[in-house]
Amino acid sequence: MITEQYKDTVYFSNLFVRHYPKVYEELSNILSRHHIAHRTLMHTKDYWCRDYMPIQWGANTYIQFRYEPDYLTDKPQYKTNIVPVLKTMSSKMDIIQSPLIVDGGNVVVCEGNSKWMGSCIRKRKPIIIMTEKVFQENSQIDQGEVLAILKANFHGADIIFYHGIDTISVVIQMGLFTILAMVRFWST
């Protein structure tokens, strides 16, 4: 599994590039200075590409959850259709489709570390931190079944549920930059 710190490409929504060119140029320069690849996703309808893009699991393996955000029910013009976005990407991706509705911005893929998790974690086992919103979004499915599907999707990784719904809160709790909510990192 490729955890957040090992992903080496940053993807931005084309809208972010178009609407915030100076900020994008600054970020682009910083990423280039640190030899971090960055690309633009075409055909997006909102900035938050972390929400709708697949979550990387392996070198070319990704998990695509259903993107049906409750906060865009009244604003379909902002809901990105992932199919045309993925078609324009140059990298080959083996995408596993999940039946669950999950907002990718509510998921952080971490590496177990006894320093912060306690002595029960060995060999830096992958840990998924996500909000409990997954149970609300999939309320028609029994919670036990939702958990079983998540375990299967994440190949048995430990899953820690955050008791809030706010994506930014998860990112801040993890000690990562807030900008993570707007980008999707991948290893190429």
Side-chain angles (χ1 to χ4, degrees), residues 42-169:
M42 303 308 295
H43 308 294
T44 62
K45 292 186 179 181
D46 73 33
Y47 306 114
W48 309 100
C49 57
R50 186 169 178 92
D51 292 350
Y52 48 81
M53 291 301 290
I55 295 171
Q56 187 172 15
W57 185 258
N60 293 315
T61 306
Y62 301 81
I63 303 164
Q64 179 67 61
F65 291 99
R66 288 176 40 212
Y67 179 62
E68 297 179 23
D70 55 359
Y71 52 88
L72 292 180
T73 303
D74 299 355
K75 301 172 187 168
Q77 70 273 23
Y78 297 119
K79 184 181 174 207
T80 296
N81 178 351
I82 192 64
V83 175
V85 176
L86 293 174
K87 282 184 180 178
T88 62
M89 295 178 69
S90 60
S91 59
K92 182 178 177 341
M93 301 166 64
D94 180 19
I95 300 175
I96 298 163
Q97 298 291 329
S98 176
L100 296 179
I101 299 169
V102 175
D103 186 319
N106 292 336
V107 179
V108 178
V109 182
C110 303
E111 193 173 67
N113 181 334
S114 61
K115 182 176 175 184
W116 70 274
M117 288 301 298
S119 60
C120 61
I121 301 298
R122 300 281 187 261
K123 296 183 183 177
R124 297 188 173 269
K125 183 178 179 181
I127 296 173
I128 309 302
I129 299 178
M130 61 189 310
T131 64
E132 290 181 333
K133 189 173 181 184
V134 67
F135 298 114
Q136 293 171 358
E137 292 172 323
N138 297 282
S139 60
Q140 74 285 3
I141 304 171
D142 177 72
Q143 283 192 5
E145 189 175 341
V146 169
L147 188 55
I149 294 169
L150 288 171
K151 282 282 202 184
N153 289 156
F154 290 119
H155 303 281
D158 289 333
I159 302 172
I160 297 173
F161 292 98
Y162 178 75
H163 298 292
I165 292 179
D166 187 357
T167 301
I168 301 301
S169 295

Side-chain angles (χ1 to χ4, degrees), residues 2-11 35-41 56-62 89-93 184-188:
I2 299 176
T3 55
E4 304 296 344
Q5 73 268 31
Y6 297 115
K7 297 176 183 179
D8 60 6
T9 304
V10 179
Y11 285 86
H35 308 287
I36 298 172
H38 49 284
R39 296 185 178 96
T40 304
L41 297 169
Q56 187 172 15
W57 185 258
N60 293 315
T61 306
Y62 301 81
M89 295 178 69
S90 60
S91 59
K92 182 178 177 341
M93 301 166 64
R184 173 59 77 196
F185 291 91
W186 281 334
S187 175
T188 55

